[in-house]
């Protein structure tokens, strides 16, 4: 029995090693086009995105081109006409980019420091009507305001109407402490955004210029970001590093698709431009005013569904 058991064990280990050795290179090889970099610094860049390499774009189209800035150590990836710093790219359809925070700080008699408005855009310009395959995620992002006497508004730059707004109030630090970790209107408020936004302006105001709460809260802040990455802390209201921490730790989530204004059924009529490769399925995805589709490996297969030869078993 012992020699037989040893033989079976040896076969099992050999088979496990063979699977590992054959599977690992296949997975790595399907991240990017042949001859193209797969990473920029610590960030993996999967096709249809691609790093501009020796003047050649390794992406599906201009919209998915990534500029890897090697002047940083480690290098940092930047994307889009507004050069957003990328924190993560998901093959399942999301990009996480570095945040932008607006703030307004008050002294005894006047405003002492202000970034009272800020904007974040995915489009080249307001007047550019070209369809883009991106939009801010209306499910992952929330519009967030922190402070004790602050009104935050988020609006589309080409519209006179606010698309989301919320108000934060509190009167003293002691009572505020019991709301630590909660963002429900006392010291912190959050609200949803509409589907399909590609550019937004943040505006920040105050009803009483923080006169009543000046002792423990001099500044108000407003930003759009992944609500699962942000937890309100009362100490944030007096922390001078809050803007930098939020910018670095609370990303803005962007949804992406391929085939702008094109459904799966429409895309499949033209095999030369259809993005889904072998052993991949297609699903329509609505990002608002613009639609598109995404590709996924069939059950039992893995790899990059956008990159030839497709998913492997």
């Amino acid at each position: 029995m012992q020699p037989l058991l040893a033989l079976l064990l040896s076969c099992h280990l050999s088979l496990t090693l063979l699977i590992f050795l054959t599977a690992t290179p296949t997975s790595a090889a399907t991240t990017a086009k042949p001859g193209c970099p797969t990473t920029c610094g610590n960030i993996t860049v999967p096709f249809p995105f691609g790093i501009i390499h020796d003047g050649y774009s390794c992406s599906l189209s201009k919209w998915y081109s990534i500029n890897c800035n090697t002047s940083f150590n480690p290098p940092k990836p930047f994307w889009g006409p507004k050069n957003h710093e990328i924190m993560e790219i998901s093959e399942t359809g999301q990009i996480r980019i570095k945040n932008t925070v607006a703030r307004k700080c008050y002294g005894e008699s006047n405003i002492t420091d202000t970034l009272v408005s800020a904007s974040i855009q995915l489009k080249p310009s307001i007047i550019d009507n070209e369809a883009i395959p991106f939009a801010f995620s209306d499910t992952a992002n929330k519009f967030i305001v922190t402070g004790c006497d602050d009104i935050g508004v988020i609006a589309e730059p080409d519209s006179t109407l606010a698309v989301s707004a919320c108000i934060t109030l509190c009167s003293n630090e002691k009572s505020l402490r019991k709301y630590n970790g909660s963002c429900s209107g006392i010291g912190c408020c959050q609200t949803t955004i509409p589907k399909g936004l590609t550019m937004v302006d943040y505006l920040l105001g105050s009803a009483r210029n923080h006169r009543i709460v000046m002792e423990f809260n001099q500044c108000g802040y407003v930003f759009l970001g992944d609500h699962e990455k942000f937890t309100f802390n009362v100490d944030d209201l007096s922390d001078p590093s809050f803007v930098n921490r939020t910018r670095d730790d609370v990303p803005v989530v962007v949804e992406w698709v391929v085939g702008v204004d094109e459904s799966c059924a429409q895309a499949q009529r033209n095999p030369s431009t259809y993005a889904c490769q072998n052993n991949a399925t297609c699903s329509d995805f609505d990002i608002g005013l613009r639609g598109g589709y995404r590709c996924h490996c069939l059950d039992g297969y893995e790899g990059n569904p956008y990159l030839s030869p497709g998913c492997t078993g």
Side-chain angles (χ1 to χ4, degrees):
M1 282 295 292
Q2 286 186 352
L4 178 59
L5 182 61
L7 179 62
L8 290 172
L9 210 57
S10 174
C11 290
H12 174 73
L13 290 172
S14 298
L15 181 60
T16 301
L17 182 61
L18 178 63
I19 291 172
F20 176 79
L21 289 175
T22 55
T24 302
T26 301
S27 176
T30 56
T31 300
K33 281 184 177 181
C36 291
T38 58
T39 60
C40 176
N42 300 322
I43 307 298
T44 299
V45 180
F47 192 80
F49 293 86
I51 296 168
I52 299 172
H53 180 59
D54 291 335
Y56 169 68
S57 177
C58 295
S59 63
L60 180 66
S61 74
K62 66 176 183 179
W63 294 115
Y64 309 93
S65 293
I66 303 296
N67 176 33
C68 186
N69 191 330
T70 56
S71 65
F72 295 95
N73 185 19
K76 292 182 178 182
F78 293 85
W79 158 79
K82 297 302 179 180
N83 220 30
H84 295 292
E85 183 179 342
I86 292 177
M87 302 173 73
E88 181 187 4
I89 302 176
S90 164
E91 287 185 15
T92 57
Q94 291 183 333
I95 313 171
R96 282 169 167 77
I97 59 176
K98 191 154 283 193
N99 214 322
T100 299
V101 182
R103 73 172 180 265
K104 194 172 185 180
C105 298
Y106 302 84
E108 292 296 335
S109 59
N110 58 9
I111 298 172
T112 61
D113 181 36
T114 179
L115 282 171
V116 65
S117 65
S119 66
I120 183 165
Q121 299 183 15
L122 306 179
K123 294 182 68 174
S125 69
I126 295 175
I127 59 174
D128 190 335
N129 292 320
E130 184 176 358
I132 65 172
F134 308 101
F136 295 115
S137 175
D138 61 303
T139 54
N141 294 314
K142 290 286 178 67
F143 178 56
I144 300 171
V145 180
T146 64
C148 280
D149 179 21
D150 295 282
I151 305 165
V153 176
I154 188 171
E156 290 184 278
D158 55 350
S159 171
T160 58
L161 299 175
V163 295
S164 288
C166 67
I167 300 173
T168 64
L169 299 169
C170 40
S171 57
N172 63 79
E173 187 175 9
K174 184 178 180 180
S175 63
L176 179 61
R177 288 285 170 186
K178 64 183 179 182
Y179 295 98
N180 219 23
S182 170
C183 193
S184 56
I186 309 298
C188 175
C189 69
Q190 62 182 17
T191 187
T192 58
I193 63 169
K195 182 188 288 288
L197 292 179
T198 58
M199 54 180 70
V200 290
D201 286 340
Y202 315 148
L203 302 173
L204 184 62
S206 174
R208 299 179 178 178
N209 291 340
H210 281 229
R211 285 192 299 271
I212 296 176
V213 297
M214 187 76 65
E215 184 178 342
F216 64 95
N217 176 218
Q218 291 80 41
C219 303
Y221 305 94
V222 60
F223 57 95
L224 179 71
D226 185 346
H227 66 98
E228 292 188 354
K229 297 294 185 181
F230 176 74
T231 301
F232 172 64
N233 190 310
V234 173
D235 293 331
D236 291 341
L237 301 183
S238 58
D239 185 355
S241 70
F242 179 76
V243 170
N244 289 338
R245 283 193 297 105
T246 303
R247 184 192 63 201
D248 294 341
D249 298 340
V250 185
V252 178
V253 184
V254 178
E255 302 282 356
W256 64 267
V257 294
V258 293
V260 189
D261 288 339
E262 193 175 38
S263 67
C264 289
Q266 292 169 325
Q268 287 165 350
R269 294 180 195 140
N270 189 348
S272 65
T273 58
Y274 180 51
C276 301
Q277 302 298 310
N278 293 333
N279 302 316
T281 185
C282 179
S283 62
D284 295 326
F285 191 83
D286 177 19
I287 57 171
L289 297 177
R290 304 293 186 183
Y293 64 91
R294 290 173 175 170
C295 305
H296 311 275
C297 289
L298 293 170
D299 289 343
Y301 293 84
E302 62 180 12
N304 190 321
Y306 300 96
L307 192 60
S308 180
C311 305
T312 56

